[in-house]
Amino acid sequence: MTLDAEKRLAAEAAAELVEDGMLVGLGSGSTVGYLLPALAYRGLRVRCVATSPETESSARELGLAVESFSGLDAPARLDVALDGADQAAADGWLVKGGGAAHTREKVVAAAADRFVVVVDSSKLVERVAPPVPLELSAFGLASTLRRLGTVSLRDAARSPDGGMIGDFTGVFDDALELAHLLSADPGVVEHGLFPPELVSDVVVARGDVVEIRTL
Ligand code: 5RP
C-alpha cells in the first residue's frame, strides 16, 4: 500500500470521529486533503474553521460550512481539530509546519477540546528531529537569525499573517528545551514543535490497518 493510500485510510477513520453539530478545526496539507471529502461525504451539520486559505477554499468547494476564526465574533472554542503532521514521535511530540501553516494550526489545536493528528506510517519517529519549521517576524529578521544561529529561510510566500517562513536546522536532544528557547525569542512568531499535552489522539495507518492512539 502506498503512503497516499495510508493517508486516505487514516483520514477516513479520523472523519468518523466528528459528530453532528460539532465545531471543527481543519488542518492543512495533503492528509487533510483526504480528510475534507471524507468529512463532507458524511453530510453532518458541522461548522468549521480552517488553518489555511487552501483548506478554506477546498472545504467550501466540498460544501462544508467554514467560518472566520479571526476577531471577537469567531468561536471561542472548538469541539475537535483534525490535522496532519510531519513527524509524530513515540513520546507524543509532533513536528508540524511542512506546509508553513503551523502558527494557525497551533492556534486551532489549542482552541480544540480534542486535537486529533492524522498520519501515514512514514511520519512515525522515535524522537522528533530537525528541521523544525518557524514563522518569523520580518521586523528584526536579521537579528533573529543571528540569535537562533541555525535557520534556513524558505524561498516561499509569507504566511497569511505576514510572517517569514524558515526551518531551525540545529541538532537538539530535548524537544521541550528547544520549544522553550524558540518561544522565548521575540522574533519567533511560532514554531512547529507541538507538545504531547496538545495532542489527544494520533490516527495512524500502516498498510491497511488503522490504529487510534490516545495520549
Ligand atoms: C502543514 C502541516 C501538515 O500537517 C504537515 O506538513 C503534513 O503534511 P502532509 O499531510 O501533506 O504530509 O503541518 O503546515
Side-chain angles (χ1 to χ4, degrees):
M1 183 166 281
T2 65
L3 293 177
D4 271 344
E6 288 186 353
K7 285 183 190 194
R8 184 169 47 73
L9 216 56
E12 286 170 358
E16 292 295 324
L17 302 176
V18 179
E19 293 169 19
D20 204 39
M22 280 187 162
L23 277 164
V24 183
L26 302 171
S28 298
S30 59
T31 310
V32 170
Y34 289 111
L35 172 77
L36 299 178
L39 183 58
Y41 180 75
R42 294 196 60 209
L44 303 172
R45 284 163 303 158
V46 288
R47 293 161 59 201
C48 305
V49 302
T51 53
S52 63
E54 294 76 14
T55 293
E56 181 169 346
S57 64
S58 304
R60 285 223 167 95
E61 274 170 30
L62 288 159
L64 291 165
V66 183
E67 322 189 342
S68 169
F69 202 46
S70 295
L72 290 176
D73 292 336
R77 56 163 289 282
L78 302 168
D79 293 295
V80 66
L82 306 126
D83 203 349
D86 302 301
Q87 302 174 40
D91 58 7
W93 279 91
L94 306 177
V95 170
K96 288 187 46 55
H102 52 281
T103 300
R104 290 189 174 198
E105 290 170 340
K106 200 179 277 188
V107 171
V108 164
D113 293 347
R114 185 178 185 186
F115 177 45
V116 178
V117 179
V118 190
V119 291
D120 63 76
S121 60
S122 74
K123 306 294 183 54
L124 298 178
V125 295
E126 197 44 45
R127 297 167 69 82
V128 290
V132 174
L134 300 175
E135 180 166 345
L136 302 165
S137 166
F139 185 80
L141 180 65
S143 67
T144 305
L145 294 177
R146 188 182 63 81
R147 277 192 304 278
L148 297 179
T150 46
V151 173
S152 125
L153 271 189
R154 290 192 207 170
D155 184 14
R158 290 201 190 188
S159 82
D161 303 302
M164 312 280 294
I165 304 298
D167 294 279
F168 180 86
T169 55
V171 176
F172 63 93
D173 281 332
D174 187 335
L176 182 61
E177 197 180 315
L178 178 62
H180 281 154
L181 187 142
L182 294 172
S183 294
D185 193 295
V188 175
V189 177
E190 195 48 85
H191 58 80
L193 284 168
F194 283 46
E197 302 78 55
L198 205 53
V199 182
S200 308
D201 310 86
V202 179
V203 180
V204 52
R206 198 191 293 272
D208 57 7
V209 176
V210 179
E211 184 193 345
I212 301 183
R213 298 181 180 173
T214 300
L215 267 71

